[in-house]
Amino acid sequence: MPRFWLRIIPQLLFAGGVALLIWAADDAVAALAFLVACLLIPYVRMNQKLDLVDEWLDSPGVENVPEGNGVWGGVYSRLRRMVREFREERHNIESQFQDLQEAIAALPDAIVILDAGDHIESCNPMAEEYFGLDKNRDIGQQISYLIRQPQFVGYLSEQATNFEHPCVLKLAGERILSIQLIPYSERKKLLLARDITRLENVERMRRDFVANVSHELRTPLTVVSGFLETISDMDGAPDPAMLKRSLMLMTGQADRMKRLIEDLLTLSRLENAENVLVEEDVNVKLLLKQIQQDALSLSASNHVIELDIDTEAGLRGSADELRSGFGNLVSNAVRYTPKGGKISITWKMEGKNAVFSVKDSGIGIEPEHIPRLTERFYRVDKSRSRGTGGTGLGLAIVKHVLNRHHGRLEVTSQIGKGSVFRAIFPASMVIAEIPETAAFR
Ligand code: ADP
């Protein structure tokens, strides 16, 4: 039985009973009036309460739920609870939505939501940056009107057939994006775009590097195999003088390959992130004296090589790496300075920094080449570099050694007058005085 009957029946029985008693007391009119009043009063009150609910529904809130008691009191307090719960739920959903929006906005990748007709429904700030979109202006626009590159338009028109593979897009300003469309829901699509410029550059560098190494090795190998072929094709014993000359030339080419492989191994050790710098106290003064001796024998007394040590300071770092870095700068000075030229090696303090510099009176370098000198295999004059036994890796090694010692390289040069290469080390790497036990091998 519905619950309201349980509430009404006792009231009706009571009113009917009282009306019967009044009637029994011989007053039928009073009995009828009492019965009518008993029915009318609750009816009026119910309408009154309904009116209050109707009014409240115009602006429903917890604060303005009507007050009441009895059945209506119960109804009102349930309404109040419902509204409170609804508000809490809405607040939770709103803050979750806000969190989600903030997370999407913070993503390093671009996200654009497209409807079934490829119109933009929403996008994050990264998408605005990558594609020059404007949330306020472009919502509702066809994406292909805004990203017009033919590869993208073609990719978009492939429809759900081939979205597993991303489409690579080159934007103005050298940015390269990998774009992936992900269909979801009712023919909607999620467009994800990731900046892969760095990855692509690394890949290009890897390809260039392999091509360069192959090229560098192929030339001496061709020379060696040419000689070997000529000698093996000869009828009878080769002429001893010619054999000697060939062997000398082959040794020269083998040395060139050996130097290249050694430099490549040095570079790969320096570039290996797992190969942490083992710091020791390096006696720079002794190190430079040895480098000066090496330079003198490389020059074969064709140059004046001066060493000016202006400080007792040493360096924290790897003696082997510093020897290789400084040695490359000094051997370059010798190789790129014509006979009779002068080379000055100095070690001094400039404020709190320690500075190693090599000044030569050599051929000099044109300004446009200077920023690229430390690139692997970059040569100003290819034939000259190879002629002097260069591998094209010396300054790349110098750059890595200095980076690992928190130092930097400065180059100034004048064509025909000479160059100055300066390696500058910060105070954190400088040791004011070298202890007796300083590392130097
Ligand atoms: P390489 O083995 O060819 O010398 P490096 O990396 O040591 O390679 O040097 C890169 C290029 O920088 C050289 O090919 C040369 O053209 C130029 N270079 C380096 N040092 C000097 C210098 N002291 N004077 C003139 N040119 C230099």
Side-chain angles (χ1 to χ4, degrees), residues 328-329 332-333 335-337 360 362-365 373 375 378-381 385-386 388-396 413 419 421:
N328 267 310
L329 291 176
N332 277 354
R335 290 187 298 116
Y336 297 106
T337 302
D360 64 54
I363 56 170
I365 308 161
L373 290 181
E375 286 175 23
Y378 188 82
R379 292 173 168 110
V380 175
D381 176 346
S385 158
R386 292 206 184 93
T388 61
T391 59
L393 295 173
L395 290 181
S413 189
S419 316
F421 285 75

Side-chain angles (χ1 to χ4, degrees), residues 170-185:
K170 201 162 185 173
L171 302 183
E174 295 301 296
R175 181 175 267 154
I176 304 170
L177 295 182
S178 164
I179 295 185
Q180 175 99 48
L181 281 167
I182 305 164
Y184 76 102
S185 180

Side-chain angles (χ1 to χ4, degrees), residues 213-436:
V213 172
S214 316
H215 177 76
E216 294 290 333
L217 284 174
R218 196 175 53 200
T219 319
L221 260 179
T222 312
V223 176
V224 172
S225 67
F227 278 128
L228 291 175
E229 220 170 282
T230 315
I231 294 167
S232 57
D233 283 352
M234 276 178 178
D235 300 326
D239 166 36
M242 176 271 199
L243 185 63
K244 191 162 183 206
R245 210 176 46 251
S246 305
L247 284 175
M248 264 175 60
L249 287 168
M250 282 195 279
T251 310
Q253 296 302 323
D255 282 348
R256 187 173 149 189
M257 286 189 274
K258 199 173 141 216
R259 268 198 310 276
L260 180 67
I261 305 283
E262 276 166 2
D263 277 0
L264 282 172
L265 288 173
T266 307
L267 251 189
S268 118
R269 265 196 308 275
L270 292 172
E271 283 181 351
N272 184 353
E274 284 169 26
N275 174 21
V276 282
L277 180 73
V278 183
E279 286 190 23
E280 47 195 348
D281 293 338
V282 181
N283 187 331
V284 178
K285 188 173 163 181
L286 286 182
L287 181 72
L288 294 184
K289 280 186 177 159
Q290 196 188 65
I291 287 174
Q292 183 192 23
Q293 289 311 310
D294 295 346
L296 282 168
S297 65
L298 176 70
S299 142
S301 307
N302 285 322
H303 305 88
V304 176
I305 302 178
E306 285 177 349
L307 175 61
D308 176 14
I309 302 218
D310 199 31
T311 170
E312 287 300 312
L315 282 175
R316 284 292 296 159
S318 152
D320 283 342
E321 290 185 18
L322 290 170
R323 184 190 292 117
S324 163
F326 294 168
N328 267 310
L329 291 176
V330 175
S331 84
N332 277 354
V334 174
R335 290 187 298 116
Y336 297 106
T337 302
K339 277 184 185 177
K342 186 176 160 191
I343 292 151
S344 313
I345 306 168
T346 53
W347 175 239
K348 60 177 177 183
M349 293 300 294
E350 278 183 10
K352 287 186 175 161
N353 296 335
V355 180
F356 163 81
S357 75
V358 188
K359 182 170 186 244
D360 64 54
S361 58
I363 56 170
I365 308 161
E366 273 158 3
E368 68 266 28
H369 296 293
I370 291 180
R372 300 195 57 190
L373 290 181
T374 55
E375 286 175 23
R376 291 183 280 191
F377 298 113
Y378 188 82
R379 292 173 168 110
V380 175
D381 176 346
K382 289 188 174 41
S383 57
R384 183 174 189 123
S385 158
R386 292 206 184 93
T388 61
T391 59
L393 295 173
L395 290 181
I397 292 175
V398 171
K399 183 182 91 178
H400 280 286
V401 169
L402 294 187
N403 279 350
R404 282 164 66 87
H405 289 78
H406 309 293
R408 64 192 156 87
L409 183 68
E410 267 181 18
V411 185
T412 45
S413 189
Q414 254 186 302
I415 282 290
K417 291 215 165 136
S419 316
V420 184
F421 285 75
R422 282 160 47 88
I424 301 160
F425 297 91
S428 58
M429 302 306 280
V430 178
I431 313 165
E433 255 179 66
I434 290 294
E436 290 293 305

